[in-house]
Amino acid sequence: MDTKENDSKLFTPGPLTTSLTVKQAMLHDLGSRDTIFINIISYIREKLLELADASPDEYTTVLIPGSGTYAVEATFSTSVPRQDAKILIIENGAYGQRMIKICQALNIPYDVISFGETERVQIDLVANKLKLNTYTHVAIIHCETTSGILNPIEEIGQLVYDHGTTKGSTVYIVDSMSGFGAIPVSLRNGHITYLISSSNKCIEGVPGFAFVISKRKHLLTCQGQARSLVLDLYDQYTYMEQSKQFRFTPPTHTMLAFKRALDELEQEGGVQGRARR
Ligand SMILES: *Cc1c(COP(=O)(O)O)cnc(C)c1O
């Protein structure tokens, strides 16, 4: 097959068109324990914190092989205790509905507040729902990819922060799959506990892994909670901290492409620059 700049342009919500240079970055075979590769893992983990306005003292990045949904499921699976937990899902489209399916598959007690597919999440209705009920977790989609609707995640984050008996005790999960990298987001201002995105959305890498920017203090309380071996965010994190490596075979070529995609994001002026485009 020829190497050319343009295949047909992709406008799908999954893989998207990547630059020739991002594709070319994959033309190397690196071993999973290769020092160059290990350094790239660390670089990517740190760079993502910077893009998220997340302090490295408070947050850490966990990389999970697979598509975005793998990381959403890993986050639910790991962060929700097996007992005495209830999650509120704020839903206004296909990806919010996928969170419901994840709860059903994992047997997680949940409640849903739904809005129309072409409607933004309404803050006052969420505030009311939170006033009348107690939840240990709240989850929302940042940008509903199918409709393009942007939800007010920072305002909702403030409500979640104030919810419950102790400020900040409610876990706030944000799926920013199709927002992160192109829409500025601040984990700090949004009081976000877990923010999820993947390699092949706005950062414009190739598919193969997803990441969860996680509040370290909470993640460290999650040992043994995951309902899965591979989708265990806690285990993946502790292993990565100790060894600087993945637990199982990493998507090496995808990581090389992603490192290059991050460089190109920076050349474009970072998140602000991409947002302008
Ligand atoms: C792409 C996307 C996902 C993940 O979908 P995958 O097919 O697993 O990559 C989840 N949420 C949103 C909002 C998305 O745009």
Side-chain angles (χ1 to χ4, degrees):
M1 208 171 121
D2 318 335
T3 317
K4 56 180 170 83
E5 176 68 63
N6 290 316
D7 297 317
S8 351
K9 284 251 188 271
L10 294 178
F11 292 103
T12 53
L16 43 65
T17 294
T18 52
S19 68
L20 180 60
T21 37
V22 163
K23 288 188 274 280
Q24 279 167 339
M26 291 189 286
L27 298 175
H28 299 280
D29 296 325
L30 289 180
S32 36
R33 302 189 200 294
D34 195 306
T35 317
I36 299 175
F37 182 65
I38 287 175
N39 290 339
I40 288 175
I41 296 177
S42 298
Y43 174 82
I44 288 173
R45 292 182 68 206
E46 284 161 26
K47 190 74 194 167
L48 288 172
L49 288 182
E50 218 177 275
L51 292 180
D53 184 28
S55 147
D57 298 335
E58 212 182 338
Y59 287 94
T60 185
T61 311
V62 190
L63 308 173
I64 290 278
S67 78
T69 308
Y70 288 60
V72 180
E73 183 162 330
T75 305
F76 277 51
S77 176
T78 308
S79 77
V80 182
R82 297 189 192 205
Q83 253 129 41
D84 302 322
K86 189 164 186 182
I87 184 160
L88 174 66
I89 295 171
I90 304 170
E91 174 274 312
N92 59 342
Y95 288 105
Q97 284 157 18
R98 192 174 293 176
M99 284 178 162
I100 298 172
K101 282 202 184 135
I102 290 174
C103 287
Q104 290 166 344
L106 299 178
N107 231 338
I108 291 174
Y110 66 93
D111 214 348
V112 183
I113 179 165
S114 293
F115 296 88
E117 215 170 341
T118 53
E119 189 190 0
R120 234 175 158 231
V121 164
Q122 292 177 42
I123 298 165
D124 52 336
L125 295 183
V126 174
N128 208 34
K129 185 91 181 162
L130 289 173
K131 204 172 288 166
L132 298 174
N133 301 274
T134 305
Y135 300 104
T136 53
H137 295 60
V138 176
I140 191 170
I141 308 290
H142 185 191
C143 172
E144 255 302 346
T145 316
T146 41
S147 60
I149 292 198
L150 264 186
N151 287 319
I153 53 167
E154 289 192 9
E155 289 91 331
I156 303 277
Q158 188 60 49
L159 295 176
V160 174
Y161 182 77
D162 293 333
H163 180 65
T165 42
T166 320
K167 269 194 196 307
S169 62
T170 309
V171 174
Y172 186 36
I173 301 172
V174 176
D175 167 348
S176 184
M177 216 68 69
S178 60
F180 189 74
I183 301 165
V185 48
S186 163
L187 270 77
R188 213 186 300 257
N189 297 342
H191 301 291
I192 298 168
T193 326
Y194 296 97
L195 180 130
I196 307 155
S197 189
S198 69
S199 56
N200 57 292
K201 293 280 170 89
C202 299
I203 297 183
E204 301 184 7
V206 304
F209 74 94
F211 48 91
V212 186
I213 302 177
S214 317
K215 204 169 249 185
R216 191 184 289 106
K217 202 166 154 196
H218 189 266
L219 184 58
L220 287 171
T221 67
C222 298
Q223 183 171 18
Q225 277 178 184
R227 286 92 169 148
S228 160
L229 173 70
V230 286
L231 298 181
D232 185 339
L233 218 56
Y234 174 88
D235 242 29
Q236 182 79 347
Y237 165 69
T238 45
Y239 190 87
M240 233 174 218
E241 282 295 297
Q242 284 157 15
S243 67
K244 312 288 174 209
Q245 298 170 23
F246 280 63
R247 282 180 301 166
F248 311 126
T249 303
T252 47
H253 300 83
T254 301
M255 303 275 297
L256 290 172
F258 193 72
K259 158 79 172 60
R260 174 71 202 181
L262 285 171
D263 294 345
E264 293 180 14
L265 175 65
E266 193 150 296
Q267 284 159 17
E268 197 177 333
V271 178
Q272 300 290 347
R274 190 147 296 177
R276 275 195 293 278
R277 163 146 67 92

